[in-house]
């Protein structure tokens, strides 16, 4: 599956035991039902005052204050100023880095993303691996957990801290930045980032369009069964190439990976020439262990005009899959430099 959904390995018996144990240290209640419904995080137990933020304005909150946030799975009561965020999506972590919001735990994919790894290391963010355990999560004492809709164990996660569910791909990166700003009480910072980003695009776009002209651009990833053709919303620079710069893909790639709204298409090697642009951004596929040279050494690949003209640019197979604000800033320099160098 293309979307890197995170499967949280939480054994029901284990987590209930841990929750009961943690809660038992704070209450002498003999009512088991009441005990198991108590949030583990000490920071969030006192969060009883609700402040509405539905007007989109920035709320100044005191310690323990909460507000009702509309997540993609319904309303959830969250801290006005979260101080210990655990992100189980990987793809959202860079938003918190950009907003200088405290992330105490993140998945390995985010931890190893070259664009944000130094910032996370300096914060002391814990690497949770790809399948965090209940013990790991509880030990971090989060006051907010971020997870994708459909993540396994969501009912158990909510025993640890408030869980905000996001639907992958529902919003473009600017809209998601605004949402993360609202969620973390940093709306002004989110808007400021967007303003600065758009200024950079406005400066670079005329130069890029002049260099590229009417040539088409493709994002192609070899994998075990052929190639993935990526569009405008699956990272790998698509948000910049097709969204911000407004460049065009070959007709079939445009129709199947962009105009369709899916963001990607899977093709066989035989039809590669129909999807390959005059300029190609590519990398091995990080989702399997197949040898990308099977594609790169194929005569069909070697005979592509982009290959013959040396207009092929290698993306990072791990870090460039992301499309958060910090990653996009790094991609913007590489992509614009590459496009301005085309022959």
């Amino acid at each position: 599956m293309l979307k890197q959904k995170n499967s949280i390995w939480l054994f029901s018996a284990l987590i209930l035991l841990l929750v009961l144990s943690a809660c038992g240290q704070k209450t002498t209640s003999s009512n088991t039902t009441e005990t198991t419904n108590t949030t583990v995080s000490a920071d969030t137990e006192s969060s009883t005052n609700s402040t509405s933020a539905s007007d989109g304005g920035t709320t100044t909150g005191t310690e323990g204050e909460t507000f009702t946030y509309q997540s993609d799975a319904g309303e959830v009561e969250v801290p006005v100023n979260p101080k210990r965020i655990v992100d189980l999506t990987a793809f959202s972590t860079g938003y918190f880095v950009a907003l200088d919001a405290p992330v105490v735990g993140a998945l390995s994919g985010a931890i190893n993303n070259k664009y944000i790894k130094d910032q996370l290391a300096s914060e002391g963010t814990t690497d949770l691996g790809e399948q965090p355990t209940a013990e790991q999560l509880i030990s971090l004492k989060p006051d907010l957990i971020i997870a994708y809709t459909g993540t396994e164990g969501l009912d158990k996660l909510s025993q640890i801290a408030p869980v905000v569910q996001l639907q992958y791909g529902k919003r473009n990166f600017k809209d998601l930045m605004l949402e993360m700003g609202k969620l973390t009480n940093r709306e002004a910072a989110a808007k400021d980032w967007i303003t600065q980003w758009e200024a950079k695009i406005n400066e670079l776009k005329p130069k890029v369009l002049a260099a590229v002209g009417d040539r088409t651009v493709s994002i192609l990833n070899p994998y075990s069964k052929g190639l993935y053709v990526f569009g405008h919303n699956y990272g790998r620079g698509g948000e910049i190439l097709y969204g911000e710069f407004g460049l065009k893909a070959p007709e079939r790639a445009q129709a199947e990976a962009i105009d369709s709204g899916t963001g990607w298409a899977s093709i066989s090697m035989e039809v590669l020439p129909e999807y390959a642009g005059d300029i190609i951004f590519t990398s091995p596929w990080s989702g399997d262990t197949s040898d990308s040279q099977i594609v790169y050494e194929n005569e069909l690949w070697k005979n592509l005009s982009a290959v013959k003209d040396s207009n092929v640019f290698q993306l990072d197979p791990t870090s460039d899959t992301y499309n958060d604000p910090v990653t996009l800033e790094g991609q913007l320099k590489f992509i614009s430099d590459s496009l301005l160098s085309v022959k």
Side-chain angles (χ1 to χ4, degrees):
M1 192 171 186
L2 281 176
K3 179 176 130 182
Q4 298 181 10
K5 291 179 85 171
N6 305 302
S7 185
I8 312 304
W9 188 54
L10 300 173
F11 290 111
S12 297
L14 172 61
I15 195 165
L16 286 176
L17 177 63
L18 290 167
V19 170
L20 286 168
S21 175
C23 293
Q25 297 173 9
K26 301 180 180 67
T27 178
T28 57
S29 172
S30 61
N31 188 312
T32 302
T33 301
E34 290 179 356
T35 303
T36 55
N37 286 334
T38 302
T39 302
V40 171
S41 172
D43 291 336
T44 58
E45 281 190 350
S46 61
S47 301
T48 56
N49 297 323
S50 176
T51 301
S52 174
S54 59
D55 60 356
T58 299
T59 303
T60 301
T62 58
E63 185 73 22
E65 192 174 6
T66 67
F67 77 101
T68 302
Y69 179 77
Q70 182 65 45
S71 77
D72 292 335
E75 293 183 343
V76 57
E77 201 74 8
V78 301
V80 169
N81 291 304
K83 289 180 169 53
R84 300 187 63 80
I85 301 170
V86 166
D87 180 30
L88 301 179
T89 71
F91 288 91
S92 300
T93 308
Y95 287 87
F96 300 119
V97 172
L99 291 168
D100 196 26
V103 180
V104 296
L107 299 185
S108 292
I111 293 290
N112 295 323
N113 177 353
K114 68 182 183 183
Y115 299 108
I116 61 174
K117 65 185 301 182
D118 290 343
Q119 297 94 315
L120 294 176
S122 67
E123 290 180 16
T125 304
T126 297
D127 185 346
L128 295 172
E130 294 302 334
Q131 292 184 325
T133 64
E135 300 100 317
Q136 284 178 302
L137 299 180
I138 291 175
S139 70
L140 290 175
K141 298 180 181 179
D143 58 5
L144 180 64
I145 297 174
I146 311 299
Y148 280 131
T149 54
T151 297
E152 293 179 15
L154 284 170
D155 56 332
K156 304 301 185 294
L157 288 176
S158 63
Q159 297 287 335
I160 300 173
V163 179
V164 167
Q165 297 182 52
L166 301 177
Q167 181 180 331
Y168 181 86
K170 179 178 179 179
R171 304 170 185 84
N172 63 43
F173 68 94
K174 293 178 185 176
D175 290 341
L176 185 54
M177 182 61 157
L178 292 174
E179 280 298 309
M180 294 300 94
K182 181 189 303 183
L183 177 62
T184 61
N185 198 20
R186 290 165 169 79
E187 288 182 275
K191 293 175 181 177
D192 185 56
W193 183 89
I194 292 172
T195 297
Q196 293 183 44
W197 171 264
E198 291 179 342
K200 294 176 185 176
I201 295 299
N202 291 336
E203 178 184 354
L204 287 168
K205 186 173 181 178
K207 301 174 185 177
V208 167
L209 292 180
V212 174
D214 60 359
R215 286 178 283 193
T216 57
V217 181
S218 293
I219 306 172
L220 303 172
N221 274 186
Y223 80 114
S224 59
K225 297 180 181 179
L227 296 100
Y228 284 124
V229 180
F230 287 101
H232 60 303
N233 61 358
Y234 255 88
R236 301 164 180 85
E239 288 79 6
I240 297 171
L241 292 168
Y242 303 124
E244 301 292 32
F245 290 156
L247 302 176
K248 293 294 183 182
E251 185 175 347
R252 290 196 64 177
Q254 182 76 32
E256 296 174 30
I258 300 176
D259 295 342
S260 66
T262 60
W264 64 277
S266 177
I267 64 171
S268 65
M269 192 69 192
E270 289 72 22
V271 297
L272 170 61
E274 299 177 49
Y275 293 81
D278 302 304
I279 301 166
I280 294 174
F281 287 85
T282 186
S283 73
W285 172 242
S286 60
D288 61 39
T289 58
S290 59
D291 183 3
S292 59
Q293 294 305 311
I294 294 174
V295 169
Y296 295 148
E297 293 299 324
N298 188 289
E299 289 303 313
L300 279 174
W301 179 272
K302 290 182 176 180
N303 285 322
L304 295 174
S305 61
V307 176
K308 291 181 176 180
D309 295 338
S310 298
N311 287 333
V312 176
F313 304 99
Q314 284 287 333
L315 297 164
D316 186 301
T318 55
S319 300
D320 282 329
T321 60
Y322 295 86
N323 53 10
D324 61 82
V326 184
T327 297
L328 285 171
E329 288 174 346
Q331 290 175 351
L332 180 60
K333 176 171 174 50
F334 172 72
I335 288 172
S336 57
D337 286 349
S338 298
L339 294 173
L340 292 174
S341 73
V342 293
K343 301 176 177 65

